[in-house]
Amino acid sequence: MMTHSFRSRLGRLRLLPLFLVPVLTGTLAGAARAEVKLAEIFGDHMVLQEETKLPVWGWADPGEKVTVTLGNASGSAVAAADGTWRVDLPPVPQNTAPQVLTVAGKNTLTFQDVLVGDVWIASGQSNMEFGIGNDDRGAEAIAKADEPQIRLFMVPKATSLDPKTGFVTVPPDHLEGKWQVCSPTTLGGKWGWNGFSAAAFYFGREIHHVTNRPIGLIGTYWGGTPAQAWTSLSGLQQDPVLAHYVEAHQKFVDNYTQASADYPKLKADFDTAMQQWNQNVAPALNQAMTQWRTDAATAVAANQPVPPQPVPSQPKPNAPLPPDGGQNAPTDLFNAMIAPLVPYAIKGAIWYQGEANAGNGKEYATLFPRMITDWREKWGQGDFPFLFVQLANWLAPQKEPAEVSGWALLREAQLKTLALPHTGMALAVDIGNPFDIHPKDKLDVGLRLALAARRVAYGENVVSSGPIYDTMTVEGSKIRLTFKEVGGGLTMGVPPWTPTGTPPPAPTELKGFAIAGDDKKWVWGKAEIEGNTLVVSGDGVANPVAVRYDWANCPFGNLYNKEGLPASPFRTDDWVDAPPAPKPAAPAAPAVPAQPAH
C-alpha cells in the first residue's frame, strides 16, 4: 500500500524539471520498500574495514527483522517505523580470501567476493580527480594494474541541498557507483578523468604492498570545488567565521523553486553561446596557449620574464548556476557525495584540495580543520587518520624574496591543520608545474601520502615528512632556525620529477630564503646548515627579526631532509602583506574540455 508520505513525495517529484530527478534517488531510497535493500556503497567485490565494528544499513518494511552475516560474525535488527535499519557487526580480522556477506529479511541478498582489509576515502578537487591515464607514468601503471586485492569505487558526481542516502543514478554500463576489482581495464577505464584517481591508486598500491592488506579505495572528488562544498550544514554552523556559507546555503534553499523554473532557458541560452564560442574563439586561443606554454618555458629556462598569457578575443560565457547552486555551493557535495557513504567503516581519508580556496588562506585555516572534524563527527569512528597534500608550486616562478601570495597563505593554513590529531601532510611544493595547475607527477604524491599513512595510521617509525619549521633565535645579524622532521639530517636536494623530464643540476647553495628587519623589507637570505639547524643572514639586514622560506605561488627552494622529502614553506612572522593576495586566475580552458575545472 502506498503511504501518504510516499504519495506526497511522488507528487512533488512529478512537478520538478527532469534534470533534477536523478539527485532525488537517495531521498526516495528509504520510502515504502517491499524488499530488504542496502545502502548503495555495499556490493560485490567490496572491501570491508578490518578490526572495527562494521555498520551495515538499509531499508525494509517497518517491523521487519533483518539479519546480517559475514563468516562467523552475525547480527540482527528490526526496521524502524520509517523502514530504516542498521546492524553493527562485531570487528572481524583481515581476510584476503573472498567472503560472502548475507542480508536476510523477507528476501535474502548475497554479496560475493568480499574482502576484509583497509578502506580509504580519496577526496578533493581536480588534482585528486586527475586520472591515472593523465599521469606521466600512468601507462606503465595501468599495464601492471592486475591487483585483485585492491578494489575501486567511484562516487558518481551529484549535488544536493539536503543530505542524501543514495547516489545519483548512472547508466548500467558505467563503472561509477559499483565496486571494481583493480585491473588494467578498470583502473584506466572510462570513468572520471581518464581513469581512476592517479594519486589515490599510487597511494593504495603502496599501502597494499607494504601491509599486504586488501585495500578499498572510494573516490569521491570533483574538480574546481572548494572545501565548504564538502562540509555539512551542521558543520559550517559550528563556527561564526563560516556563517556566510550558512547564509549562502539558505538563499539557495529559499530561491530553489524560482531557480528551478528559470534554469532550463538559462542553460539552453548558455549552451548556444558556448557552442558559438567554441567555434569562433577557442581554436585561436588554444593555438595561442600552446605557443605561450613553449615560450614561457623557454623564458624561464633563460631566466627571462615570462610573456603575458593569451586572452580570448571574446570572454568565455559563464554557465548559469543550477538551482541548488551546483558543485561549488556550500554543503552540496557533502550532501550528495559524502553523506551516502556514512557510516561505512573506513581506515581513514586522503585529500588533495585547496586551489579553489587559495583566495582566502586565512579563512581556510578555520574551514579546513572544521571540515575534517565534521567528517569525523558524522562517521562516529573517532579521530580517524586524515592525510592531505599541501599545494604544489604553480604560476609564474618566484622573482622576489617574499611575494604576496594566496597560495603561500593557503599552504600555511594546511600546515597549521597538522595541529589536529591523527593528521599527516604530503608535501608537493617541489613537484608542481609553473604552467599547469595539474602537474603530471602523481606517483610521488601517492608515495608521500603513503609515508604519512604508514606513520599516522599504521604506527610505523618512518620519516614521513620533510623538515617543518619549529623555532627561531636571533643571534646578532643572523637568525638560527630549528626544525622538526629532519630525519637523517638537513641537506640540499632536488625534485624527484620535473615537468620537462630533465633532472635539475646538483645544488651548490640553499635557495628560497628571505630575511627582514623591523622595516619589513625582505632581501634574499643566505642560509647555511649547521648540524640540524639553519643559520640565515642577509645583505643590509643588521638586526633581523623574521625569515620566510618558499613564500610565493611558485617557489624554488631546495631544503630537504636526507630522506629526500622537501621542507614545507613557512614564515616566522605574522605580518599582513599588502595588497591582499588575489585568487590566481586559471589558464583558459580548451575548446572541448578534456579535463574538469581545477
Side-chain angles (χ1 to χ4, degrees):
M1 178 178 179
M2 185 178 292
T3 66
H4 172 75
S5 173
F6 182 78
R7 193 186 306 273
S8 62
R9 287 186 185 182
L10 186 58
R12 290 198 299 271
L13 178 60
R14 289 172 179 152
L15 294 175
L16 290 175
L18 287 178
F19 63 84
L20 294 176
V21 171
V23 299
L24 299 179
T25 302
T27 301
L28 295 179
R33 290 176 172 80
E35 295 183 336
V36 171
K37 292 189 177 181
L38 260 69
E40 295 169 33
I41 186 61
F42 293 94
D44 294 338
H45 315 303
M46 64 184 158
V47 177
L48 297 175
Q49 180 58 45
E50 65 174 80
E51 301 297 351
T52 188
K53 73 176 181 180
L54 292 174
V56 181
W57 73 99
W59 300 266
D61 286 337
E64 183 175 354
K65 183 180 179 180
V66 179
T67 300
V68 179
T69 304
L70 177 70
N72 295 325
S74 183
S76 298
V78 175
D82 63 356
T84 60
W85 58 266
R86 170 173 165 172
V87 172
D88 286 345
L89 290 179
V92 295
Q94 175 193 146
N95 199 329
T96 60
Q99 305 291 300
V100 176
L101 179 74
T102 301
V103 180
K106 295 177 182 177
N107 60 299
T108 299
L109 303 173
T110 58
F111 299 92
Q112 305 290 335
D113 189 29
V114 177
L115 303 181
V116 181
D118 285 339
V119 179
W120 286 90
I121 301 288
S123 189
Q125 58 181 106
S126 57
N127 273 307
M128 183 62 82
E129 184 175 359
F130 187 93
I132 189 69
N134 303 313
D135 186 73
D136 264 1
R137 288 158 285 201
E140 179 183 1
I142 292 170
K144 298 179 179 179
D146 279 316
E147 296 277 6
Q149 293 284 301
I150 298 177
R151 308 296 171 85
L152 312 172
F153 187 100
M154 184 184 294
V155 175
K157 289 181 177 178
T159 61
S160 176
L161 288 171
D162 60 288
K164 298 303 177 187
T165 57
F167 305 123
V168 64
T169 302
V170 297
D173 60 338
H174 281 216
L175 297 176
E176 295 95 331
K178 300 180 286 289
W179 284 96
Q180 308 288 343
V181 179
C182 184
S183 70
T185 301
T186 57
L187 179 64
K190 293 182 179 180
W191 55 353
W193 178 16
N194 290 339
F196 195 78
S197 164
F201 170 72
Y202 287 133
F203 165 83
R205 185 181 68 178
E206 179 72 3
I207 293 299
H208 170 58
H209 291 174
V210 169
T211 67
N212 292 316
R213 302 181 186 192
I215 298 294
L217 298 171
I218 300 175
T220 178
Y221 32 68
W222 195 325
T225 55
Q228 61 269 21
W230 296 98
T231 309
S232 76
L233 179 60
S234 60
L236 293 172
Q237 288 172 332
Q238 294 190 41
D239 198 301
V241 171
L242 309 177
H244 64 105
Y245 292 128
V246 177
E247 295 169 2
H249 169 80
Q250 188 59 46
K251 287 182 180 179
F252 284 118
V253 172
D254 295 341
N255 296 335
Y256 185 78
T257 301
Q258 184 61 52
S260 298
D262 295 341
Y263 184 75
K265 183 179 185 307
L266 294 173
K267 181 64 165 59
D269 292 344
F270 165 75
D271 289 343
T272 299
M274 195 67 215
Q275 183 179 22
Q276 294 173 349
W277 191 89
N278 281 335
Q279 291 174 349
N280 302 328
V281 180
L285 177 62
N286 288 342
Q287 184 177 3
M289 283 296 298
T290 299
Q291 184 62 48
W292 174 81
R293 291 189 179 96
T294 300
D295 294 344
T298 301
V300 170
N303 199 29
Q304 297 296 316
V306 175
Q309 183 172 313
V311 296
S313 59
Q314 298 176 19
K316 187 176 181 180
N318 291 319
L321 284 179
D324 64 5
Q327 70 269 25
N328 293 330
T331 81
D332 273 21
L333 297 183
F334 177 89
N335 291 335
M337 297 180 68
I338 296 296
L341 300 173
V342 179
Y344 195 81
I346 61 175
K347 182 69 171 182
I350 58 174
W351 174 262
Y352 195 163
Q353 190 274 340
E355 299 93 337
N357 292 95
N360 197 339
K362 180 179 179 181
E363 180 186 81
Y364 199 76
T366 298
L367 173 61
F368 185 35
R370 177 89 287 279
M371 188 206 80
I372 295 172
T373 302
D374 181 42
W375 285 23
R376 288 171 167 176
E377 291 168 348
K378 297 300 186 292
W379 248 277
Q381 279 191 217
D383 293 333
F384 60 74
F386 196 103
L387 317 172
F388 52 91
V389 182
Q390 192 182 54
L391 288 186
N393 47 314
W394 181 55
L395 293 172
Q398 182 178 1
K399 294 296 184 183
E400 300 298 325
E403 299 185 348
V404 176
S405 168
W407 281 48
L409 290 171
L410 198 289
R411 293 187 191 106
E412 181 180 58
Q414 293 173 318
L415 180 62
K416 290 179 178 178
T417 301
L418 290 174
L420 286 182
H422 301 112
T423 53
M425 184 172 72
L427 296 152
V429 72
D430 61 332
I431 50 176
N433 184 340
F435 312 111
D436 191 346
I437 197 171
H438 304 117
K440 294 185 177 181
D441 175 21
K442 295 300 187 284
L443 173 60
D444 288 295
V445 170
L447 293 177
R448 290 174 180 180
L449 282 168
L451 278 175
R454 291 172 63 184
R455 182 169 178 176
V456 175
Y458 297 99
E460 291 189 50
N461 184 23
V462 296
V463 178
S464 61
S465 170
I468 302 293
Y469 164 71
D470 190 17
T471 66
M472 65 162 276
T473 305
V474 177
E475 299 179 354
S477 61
K478 300 179 180 180
I479 290 180
R480 185 178 299 274
L481 306 172
T482 66
F483 296 84
K484 296 176 284 188
E485 308 296 341
V486 297
L490 301 175
T491 188
M492 293 179 285
V494 296
W497 173 90
T498 62
T500 63
T502 302
T508 58
E509 62 179 352
L510 284 169
K511 297 182 178 180
F513 288 89
I515 192 168
D518 284 328
D519 59 2
K520 301 183 181 180
K521 293 181 179 180
W522 296 99
V523 303
W524 290 111
K526 178 182 179 182
E528 297 180 347
I529 297 172
E530 293 187 1
N532 283 334
T533 70
L534 272 183
V535 177
V536 185
S537 60
D539 292 342
V541 184
N543 298 295
V545 298
V547 169
R548 292 185 180 185
Y549 173 71
D550 269 4
W551 200 260
N553 294 327
C554 189
F556 53 80
N558 59 359
L559 177 63
Y560 286 71
N561 56 26
K562 290 183 178 178
E563 284 72 17
L565 299 173
S568 171
F570 68 88
R571 59 175 175 167
T572 66
D573 64 278
D574 58 359
W575 301 338
V576 177
D577 293 329
K583 181 178 179 180
V592 179
Q595 59 191 41
H598 66 268

mmCIF file of all heavy atoms in Angstrom, residues 241-270:
data_model
loop_
_atom_site.group_PDB
_atom_site.id
_atom_site.type_symbol
_atom_site.label_atom_id
_atom_site.label_comp_id
_atom_site.label_asym_id
_atom_site.label_seq_id
_atom_site.Cartn_x
_atom_site.Cartn_y
_atom_site.Cartn_z
ATOM 1 N N VAL A 241 32.915 32.230 11.908
ATOM 2 C CA VAL A 241 33.690 32.659 10.745
ATOM 3 C C VAL A 241 33.071 32.134 9.451
ATOM 4 O O VAL A 241 33.209 32.746 8.385
ATOM 5 C CB VAL A 241 35.149 32.176 10.878
ATOM 6 C CG1 VAL A 241 35.936 32.414 9.600
ATOM 7 C CG2 VAL A 241 35.830 32.867 12.055
ATOM 8 N N LEU A 242 32.353 31.029 9.544
ATOM 9 C CA LEU A 242 31.797 30.375 8.367
ATOM 10 C C LEU A 242 30.313 30.665 8.186
ATOM 11 O O LEU A 242 29.648 30.054 7.339
ATOM 12 C CB LEU A 242 32.019 28.862 8.466
ATOM 13 C CG LEU A 242 33.459 28.429 8.768
ATOM 14 C CD1 LEU A 242 33.554 26.915 8.911
ATOM 15 C CD2 LEU A 242 34.416 28.922 7.688
ATOM 16 N N ALA A 243 29.793 31.629 8.941
ATOM 17 C CA ALA A 243 28.355 31.921 8.900
ATOM 18 C C ALA A 243 27.899 32.361 7.516
ATOM 19 O O ALA A 243 26.752 32.098 7.116
ATOM 20 C CB ALA A 243 28.006 32.990 9.931
ATOM 21 N N HIS A 244 28.769 33.011 6.763
ATOM 22 C CA HIS A 244 28.344 33.472 5.434
ATOM 23 C C HIS A 244 28.065 32.309 4.498
ATOM 24 O O HIS A 244 27.260 32.430 3.566
ATOM 25 C CB HIS A 244 29.389 34.420 4.838
ATOM 26 C CG HIS A 244 30.721 33.814 4.573
ATOM 27 N ND1 HIS A 244 31.143 33.504 3.303
ATOM 28 C CD2 HIS A 244 31.736 33.444 5.404
ATOM 29 C CE1 HIS A 244 32.370 32.992 3.353
ATOM 30 N NE2 HIS A 244 32.749 32.943 4.619
ATOM 31 N N TYR A 245 28.683 31.152 4.726
ATOM 32 C CA TYR A 245 28.374 29.976 3.933
ATOM 33 C C TYR A 245 27.002 29.417 4.306
ATOM 34 O O TYR A 245 26.261 28.923 3.447
ATOM 35 C CB TYR A 245 29.445 28.904 4.114
ATOM 36 C CG TYR A 245 30.791 29.277 3.539
ATOM 37 C CD1 TYR A 245 31.956 29.196 4.308
ATOM 38 C CD2 TYR A 245 30.909 29.727 2.228
ATOM 39 C CE1 TYR A 245 33.192 29.533 3.782
ATOM 40 C CE2 TYR A 245 32.149 30.072 1.695
ATOM 41 C CZ TYR A 245 33.277 29.972 2.472
ATOM 42 O OH TYR A 245 34.501 30.320 1.946
ATOM 43 N N VAL A 246 26.681 29.471 5.575
ATOM 44 C CA VAL A 246 25.355 29.034 6.016
ATOM 45 C C VAL A 246 24.277 29.922 5.387
ATOM 46 O O VAL A 246 23.241 29.442 4.910
ATOM 47 C CB VAL A 246 25.264 29.073 7.552
ATOM 48 C CG1 VAL A 246 23.854 28.698 8.021
ATOM 49 C CG2 VAL A 246 26.300 28.141 8.176
ATOM 50 N N GLU A 247 24.538 31.228 5.367
ATOM 51 C CA GLU A 247 23.585 32.158 4.751
ATOM 52 C C GLU A 247 23.449 31.906 3.255
ATOM 53 O O GLU A 247 22.339 31.947 2.693
ATOM 54 C CB GLU A 247 24.039 33.594 5.013
ATOM 55 C CG GLU A 247 24.018 33.983 6.483
ATOM 56 C CD GLU A 247 24.714 35.308 6.752
ATOM 57 O OE1 GLU A 247 25.186 35.943 5.775
ATOM 58 O OE2 GLU A 247 24.805 35.700 7.931
ATOM 59 N N ALA A 248 24.564 31.639 2.587
ATOM 60 C CA ALA A 248 24.517 31.358 1.149
ATOM 61 C C ALA A 248 23.699 30.100 0.868
ATOM 62 O O ALA A 248 22.907 30.059 -0.084
ATOM 63 C CB ALA A 248 25.931 31.205 0.604
ATOM 64 N N HIS A 249 23.896 29.079 1.694
ATOM 65 C CA HIS A 249 23.124 27.850 1.533
ATOM 66 C C HIS A 249 21.629 28.130 1.681
ATOM 67 O O HIS A 249 20.812 27.650 0.879
ATOM 68 C CB HIS A 249 23.571 26.817 2.569
ATOM 69 C CG HIS A 249 22.673 25.619 2.662
ATOM 70 N ND1 HIS A 249 22.733 24.579 1.772
ATOM 71 C CD2 HIS A 249 21.671 25.319 3.539
ATOM 72 C CE1 HIS A 249 21.822 23.666 2.091
ATOM 73 N NE2 HIS A 249 21.166 24.103 3.154
ATOM 74 N N GLN A 250 21.270 28.929 2.674
ATOM 75 C CA GLN A 250 19.857 29.203 2.916
ATOM 76 C C GLN A 250 19.232 29.964 1.741
ATOM 77 O O GLN A 250 18.056 29.757 1.407
ATOM 78 C CB GLN A 250 19.679 29.997 4.215
ATOM 79 C CG GLN A 250 18.221 30.163 4.635
ATOM 80 C CD GLN A 250 17.530 28.827 4.845
ATOM 81 O OE1 GLN A 250 18.081 27.924 5.484
ATOM 82 N NE2 GLN A 250 16.338 28.683 4.291
ATOM 83 N N LYS A 251 20.003 30.819 1.107
ATOM 84 C CA LYS A 251 19.479 31.544 -0.050
ATOM 85 C C LYS A 251 19.146 30.587 -1.191
ATOM 86 O O LYS A 251 18.130 30.754 -1.880
ATOM 87 C CB LYS A 251 20.489 32.592 -0.509
ATOM 88 C CG LYS A 251 20.591 33.806 0.421
ATOM 89 C CD LYS A 251 21.588 34.826 -0.123
ATOM 90 C CE LYS A 251 21.676 36.040 0.806
ATOM 91 N NZ LYS A 251 22.661 37.042 0.321
ATOM 92 N N PHE A 252 19.997 29.591 -1.395
ATOM 93 C CA PHE A 252 19.686 28.606 -2.429
ATOM 94 C C PHE A 252 18.423 27.822 -2.078
ATOM 95 O O PHE A 252 17.619 27.500 -2.958
ATOM 96 C CB PHE A 252 20.861 27.644 -2.626
ATOM 97 C CG PHE A 252 22.010 28.242 -3.387
ATOM 98 C CD1 PHE A 252 23.264 28.369 -2.800
ATOM 99 C CD2 PHE A 252 21.846 28.676 -4.688
ATOM 100 C CE1 PHE A 252 24.321 28.915 -3.500
ATOM 101 C CE2 PHE A 252 22.911 29.226 -5.395
ATOM 102 C CZ PHE A 252 24.151 29.356 -4.802
ATOM 103 N N VAL A 253 18.246 27.516 -0.800
ATOM 104 C CA VAL A 253 17.033 26.822 -0.368
ATOM 105 C C VAL A 253 15.806 27.692 -0.629
ATOM 106 O O VAL A 253 14.796 27.240 -1.195
ATOM 107 C CB VAL A 253 17.128 26.445 1.125
ATOM 108 C CG1 VAL A 253 15.797 25.890 1.625
ATOM 109 C CG2 VAL A 253 18.243 25.437 1.357
ATOM 110 N N ASP A 254 15.892 28.952 -0.234
ATOM 111 C CA ASP A 254 14.751 29.860 -0.367
ATOM 112 C C ASP A 254 14.392 30.120 -1.830
ATOM 113 O O ASP A 254 13.216 30.295 -2.170
ATOM 114 C CB ASP A 254 15.046 31.191 0.327
ATOM 115 C CG ASP A 254 15.200 31.051 1.834
ATOM 116 O OD1 ASP A 254 14.738 30.028 2.384
ATOM 117 O OD2 ASP A 254 15.801 31.948 2.466
ATOM 118 N N ASN A 255 15.398 30.154 -2.713
ATOM 119 C CA ASN A 255 15.167 30.502 -4.118
ATOM 120 C C ASN A 255 15.012 29.290 -5.018
ATOM 121 O O ASN A 255 14.922 29.433 -6.248
ATOM 122 C CB ASN A 255 16.344 31.346 -4.632
ATOM 123 C CG ASN A 255 16.456 32.681 -3.917
ATOM 124 O OD1 ASN A 255 15.471 33.192 -3.406
ATOM 125 N ND2 ASN A 255 17.662 33.226 -3.868
ATOM 126 N N TYR A 256 14.964 28.109 -4.447
ATOM 127 C CA TYR A 256 15.038 26.889 -5.240
ATOM 128 C C TYR A 256 13.886 26.757 -6.248
ATOM 129 O O TYR A 256 14.100 26.414 -7.413
ATOM 130 C CB TYR A 256 15.050 25.672 -4.313
ATOM 131 C CG TYR A 256 15.245 24.369 -5.030
ATOM 132 C CD1 TYR A 256 16.497 23.976 -5.465
ATOM 133 C CD2 TYR A 256 14.162 23.521 -5.280
ATOM 134 C CE1 TYR A 256 16.689 22.771 -6.135
ATOM 135 C CE2 TYR A 256 14.338 22.313 -5.947
ATOM 136 C CZ TYR A 256 15.598 21.950 -6.363
ATOM 137 O OH TYR A 256 15.782 20.774 -7.029
ATOM 138 N N THR A 257 12.683 27.044 -5.816
ATOM 139 C CA THR A 257 11.533 26.876 -6.710
ATOM 140 C C THR A 257 11.631 27.791 -7.923
ATOM 141 O O THR A 257 11.457 27.358 -9.070
ATOM 142 C CB THR A 257 10.226 27.141 -5.958
ATOM 143 O OG1 THR A 257 10.126 26.228 -4.854
ATOM 144 C CG2 THR A 257 9.020 26.959 -6.879
ATOM 145 N N GLN A 258 11.912 29.071 -7.695
ATOM 146 C CA GLN A 258 12.031 30.006 -8.806
ATOM 147 C C GLN A 258 13.225 29.661 -9.687
ATOM 148 O O GLN A 258 13.145 29.711 -10.917
ATOM 149 C CB GLN A 258 12.160 31.439 -8.283
ATOM 150 C CG GLN A 258 12.184 32.509 -9.372
ATOM 151 C CD GLN A 258 10.905 32.515 -10.192
ATOM 152 O OE1 GLN A 258 9.803 32.571 -9.624
ATOM 153 N NE2 GLN A 258 11.025 32.445 -11.510
ATOM 154 N N ALA A 259 14.338 29.305 -9.053
ATOM 155 C CA ALA A 259 15.526 28.960 -9.828
ATOM 156 C C ALA A 259 15.285 27.734 -10.696
ATOM 157 O O ALA A 259 15.784 27.645 -11.825
ATOM 158 C CB ALA A 259 16.710 28.725 -8.897
ATOM 159 N N SER A 260 14.516 26.775 -10.207
ATOM 160 C CA SER A 260 14.201 25.577 -10.985
ATOM 161 C C SER A 260 13.382 25.920 -12.219
ATOM 162 O O SER A 260 13.539 25.304 -13.283
ATOM 163 C CB SER A 260 13.444 24.571 -10.118
ATOM 164 O OG SER A 260 14.228 24.140 -9.029
ATOM 165 N N ALA A 261 12.507 26.900 -12.088
ATOM 166 C CA ALA A 261 11.690 27.316 -13.226
ATOM 167 C C ALA A 261 12.518 28.078 -14.263
ATOM 168 O O ALA A 261 12.290 27.960 -15.476
ATOM 169 C CB ALA A 261 10.525 28.173 -12.744
ATOM 170 N N ASP A 262 13.481 28.849 -13.796
ATOM 171 C CA ASP A 262 14.275 29.689 -14.697
ATOM 172 C C ASP A 262 15.409 28.929 -15.386
ATOM 173 O O ASP A 262 15.852 29.309 -16.475
ATOM 174 C CB ASP A 262 14.885 30.866 -13.923
ATOM 175 C CG ASP A 262 13.826 31.818 -13.387
ATOM 176 O OD1 ASP A 262 12.688 31.785 -13.891
ATOM 177 O OD2 ASP A 262 14.144 32.590 -12.455
ATOM 178 N N TYR A 263 15.890 27.891 -14.763
ATOM 179 C CA TYR A 263 17.131 27.265 -15.194
ATOM 180 C C TYR A 263 17.105 26.693 -16.617
ATOM 181 O O TYR A 263 18.081 26.860 -17.362
ATOM 182 C CB TYR A 263 17.539 26.178 -14.205
ATOM 183 C CG TYR A 263 18.868 25.539 -14.515
ATOM 184 C CD1 TYR A 263 20.062 26.205 -14.255
ATOM 185 C CD2 TYR A 263 18.939 24.263 -15.077
ATOM 186 C CE1 TYR A 263 21.286 25.625 -14.534
ATOM 187 C CE2 TYR A 263 20.161 23.669 -15.361
ATOM 188 C CZ TYR A 263 21.336 24.361 -15.088
ATOM 189 O OH TYR A 263 22.537 23.783 -15.383
ATOM 190 N N PRO A 264 16.068 25.979 -17.035
ATOM 191 C CA PRO A 264 16.127 25.372 -18.378
ATOM 192 C C PRO A 264 16.420 26.368 -19.490
ATOM 193 O O PRO A 264 17.231 26.085 -20.383
ATOM 194 C CB PRO A 264 14.738 24.741 -18.529
ATOM 195 C CG PRO A 264 14.320 24.433 -17.131
ATOM 196 C CD PRO A 264 14.840 25.569 -16.316
ATOM 197 N N LYS A 265 15.787 27.536 -19.463
ATOM 198 C CA LYS A 265 16.046 28.532 -20.510
ATOM 199 C C LYS A 265 17.460 29.098 -20.388
ATOM 200 O O LYS A 265 18.164 29.282 -21.390
ATOM 201 C CB LYS A 265 15.032 29.661 -20.455
ATOM 202 C CG LYS A 265 15.224 30.691 -21.591
ATOM 203 C CD LYS A 265 14.200 31.783 -21.539
ATOM 204 C CE LYS A 265 14.355 32.713 -22.753
ATOM 205 N NZ LYS A 265 15.720 33.238 -22.910
ATOM 206 N N LEU A 266 17.896 29.392 -19.173
ATOM 207 C CA LEU A 266 19.240 29.913 -18.973
ATOM 208 C C LEU A 266 20.288 28.914 -19.470
ATOM 209 O O LEU A 266 21.272 29.297 -20.108
ATOM 210 C CB LEU A 266 19.472 30.218 -17.494
ATOM 211 C CG LEU A 266 18.642 31.344 -16.889
ATOM 212 C CD1 LEU A 266 18.857 31.408 -15.374
ATOM 213 C CD2 LEU A 266 19.004 32.685 -17.529
ATOM 214 N N LYS A 267 20.065 27.648 -19.202
ATOM 215 C CA LYS A 267 21.008 26.608 -19.631
ATOM 216 C C LYS A 267 21.012 26.484 -21.154
ATOM 217 O O LYS A 267 22.075 26.339 -21.779
ATOM 218 C CB LYS A 267 20.629 25.276 -18.987
ATOM 219 C CG LYS A 267 21.560 24.116 -19.347
ATOM 220 C CD LYS A 267 22.969 24.346 -18.834
ATOM 221 C CE LYS A 267 23.802 23.074 -18.858
ATOM 222 N NZ LYS A 267 23.925 22.474 -20.193
ATOM 223 N N ALA A 268 19.836 26.547 -21.767
ATOM 224 C CA ALA A 268 19.766 26.452 -23.226
ATOM 225 C C ALA A 268 20.481 27.630 -23.884
ATOM 226 O O ALA A 268 21.212 27.465 -24.871
ATOM 227 C CB ALA A 268 18.311 26.387 -23.674
ATOM 228 N N ASP A 269 20.288 28.830 -23.337
ATOM 229 C CA ASP A 269 20.972 30.009 -23.874
ATOM 230 C C ASP A 269 22.479 29.881 -23.724
ATOM 231 O O ASP A 269 23.253 30.242 -24.624
ATOM 232 C CB ASP A 269 20.480 31.278 -23.169
ATOM 233 C CG ASP A 269 19.035 31.607 -23.496
ATOM 234 O OD1 ASP A 269 18.499 31.049 -24.476
ATOM 235 O OD2 ASP A 269 18.429 32.425 -22.765
ATOM 236 N N PHE A 270 22.914 29.374 -22.589
ATOM 237 C CA PHE A 270 24.349 29.183 -22.362
ATOM 238 C C PHE A 270 24.922 28.166 -23.349
ATOM 239 O O PHE A 270 25.996 28.373 -23.911
ATOM 240 C CB PHE A 270 24.608 28.726 -20.932
ATOM 241 C CG PHE A 270 25.987 28.169 -20.718
ATOM 242 C CD1 PHE A 270 27.082 29.015 -20.638
ATOM 243 C CD2 PHE A 270 26.200 26.793 -20.625
ATOM 244 C CE1 PHE A 270 28.366 28.509 -20.463
ATOM 245 C CE2 PHE A 270 27.472 26.277 -20.446
ATOM 246 C CZ PHE A 270 28.559 27.147 -20.359
#
